[in-house]
């Protein structure tokens, strides 16, 4: 009996040790995490004494890594949040405060506000579809889409009208599978999308429909919202598709 209990206790200790090691490998050691937070806090205090932020989250950069990502945020500025990456030796690997200064955090806030408006409105569509995650296109210099939003033009913490942002910069991409991959059908689906968005009062700037039907596909190209209800839409989409095929 004693031998049996001893075996059970030994096995339990082994499992506990393996579990602890696995947990530390995947999620990090709490002690290392606290050291990373303290290091990052000291770094931020030294380098950015003009801002008031606090560490709100910390975790391994990737599973099995010894680097921690410490997220800082302000209680008074919704657009002041950024990450500091600290390695196992306590050295700062990366500092993403520039995302605040560049307007990237503000851009991400607007995207997070606009996306659920689009997603909710599209649930009324009478067909299966997939909405591309990015509903605002970020400006990346010459060659960017006409509707792209430049983060450098955004004002920190400004209370933007999200529907106006959508009207000026909303860039929607819809994928459909198993339906007729033709210009006529794409035009009908494009009008379906515009209809449910209009009914939900969710403005957008451009819409692109891509249909895959087995080995056959159709690509509508980007079409401005005001052009979707115009006559000759199917012909326009056919021209867009032809130009796209010629570039492939």
């Amino acid at each position: 009996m004693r031998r049996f209990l001893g075996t059970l206790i030994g096995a339990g200790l082994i499992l506990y040790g393996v579990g602890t090691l696995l947990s530390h490998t995947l999620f990090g050691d709490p002690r290392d995490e606290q050291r990373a937070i303290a290091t990052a806090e000291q770094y931020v205090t030294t380098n950015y004494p003009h801002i008031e932020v606090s560490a709100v989250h910390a975790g391994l950069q990737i599973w099995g890594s010894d680097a921690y990502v410490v997220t800082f945020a302000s209680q008074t500025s919704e657009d002041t949040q950024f990450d500091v990456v600290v390695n196992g030796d306590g050295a700062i690997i990366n500092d993403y405060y520039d995302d605040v200064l560049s307007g990237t955090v503000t851009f991400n806030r607007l995207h997070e506000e606009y996306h659920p408006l689009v997603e909710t409105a599209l649930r009324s569509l009478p067909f299966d579809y997939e909405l591309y995650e990015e509903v605002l296109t970020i400006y990346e210099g010459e060659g960017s889409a006409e509707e792209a939003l430049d983060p450098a033009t955004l004002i920190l913490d400004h209370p933007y009208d999200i529907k106006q942002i959508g009207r000026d910069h909303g860039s929607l991409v819809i994928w459909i599978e198993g339906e007729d991959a033709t210009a006529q059908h794409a035009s009908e689906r494009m009008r379906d999308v515009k209809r449910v968005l209009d009914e939900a009062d969710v403005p957008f700037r451009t819409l692109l429909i891509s249909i895959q039907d087995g080995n056959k596909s159709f690509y509508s190209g980007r079409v401005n919202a005001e052009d979707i209800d115009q006559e000759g839409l199917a012909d326009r989409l056919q021209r867009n598709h032809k130009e796209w095929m010629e570039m492939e």
Side-chain angles (χ1 to χ4, degrees):
M1 183 65 176
R2 290 180 179 177
R3 180 177 297 178
F4 176 70
L5 288 175
T7 301
L8 282 180
I9 292 172
L13 290 173
I14 291 173
L15 288 174
Y16 174 78
V18 171
T20 300
L21 178 62
L22 182 60
S23 176
H24 287 177
T25 299
L26 296 179
F27 305 109
D29 187 322
R31 293 168 298 181
D32 292 340
E33 180 179 300
Q34 289 304 312
R35 282 192 289 268
I37 292 173
T39 298
E41 287 176 334
Q42 182 59 52
Y43 172 83
V44 169
T45 298
T46 301
N47 288 273
Y48 307 116
H50 60 290
I51 61 175
E52 294 185 6
V53 294
S54 57
V56 295
H57 181 265
L60 286 177
Q61 187 174 32
I62 57 173
W63 284 358
S65 167
D66 65 350
Y68 283 83
V69 178
V70 183
T71 301
F72 288 85
S74 167
Q75 292 186 347
T76 59
S77 169
E78 62 181 335
D79 292 339
T80 301
Q81 50 183 298
F82 59 96
D83 293 335
V84 174
V85 185
V86 187
N87 72 9
D89 297 326
I92 303 299
I93 301 175
N94 284 310
D95 160 13
Y96 293 96
Y97 182 58
D98 278 349
D99 286 351
V100 176
L101 301 179
S102 68
T104 300
V105 177
T106 306
F107 176 93
N108 291 340
R109 168 170 64 88
L110 296 177
H111 188 277
E112 290 173 5
E113 292 178 10
Y114 182 58
H115 188 278
L117 296 181
V118 176
E119 190 174 47
T120 300
L122 293 182
R123 290 173 185 163
S124 298
L125 286 171
F127 56 88
D128 293 332
Y129 67 92
E130 184 174 348
L131 171 67
Y132 182 55
E133 177 65 24
E134 304 303 324
V135 294
L136 292 178
T137 301
I138 194 166
Y139 179 79
E140 298 179 328
E142 186 176 353
S144 295
E146 63 177 14
E147 70 273 20
L149 176 57
D150 186 353
T153 66
L154 298 176
I155 303 170
L156 194 74
D157 298 324
H158 185 74
Y160 286 97
D161 180 343
I162 195 60
K163 290 187 177 180
Q164 188 61 51
I165 290 292
R167 183 175 290 106
D168 294 339
H169 304 285
S171 177
L172 313 183
V173 178
I174 301 287
W175 283 297
I176 302 170
E177 290 191 8
E179 296 191 1
D180 293 338
T182 63
Q184 181 59 42
H185 191 66
S187 69
E188 293 169 1
R189 287 310 191 206
M190 188 168 279
R191 285 175 172 149
D192 286 337
V193 172
K194 184 177 185 298
R195 173 180 52 79
V196 299
L197 290 168
D198 286 348
E199 289 173 353
D201 190 24
V202 179
F204 63 98
R205 174 72 178 272
T206 64
L207 174 62
L208 185 156
I209 297 284
S210 179
I211 302 177
Q212 187 72 38
D213 184 17
N215 294 325
K216 188 178 180 182
S217 62
F218 186 86
Y219 178 86
S220 74
R222 295 186 183 277
V223 179
N224 288 333
E226 61 269 20
D227 295 331
I228 293 175
D229 290 327
Q230 300 297 318
E231 292 184 4
L233 178 62
D235 291 337
R236 176 174 180 171
L237 299 191
Q238 186 61 52
R239 290 194 298 272
N240 290 349
H241 177 73
K242 181 180 178 181
E243 291 175 1
W244 176 68
M245 292 294 291
E246 290 173 349
M247 290 189 296
E248 287 293 296

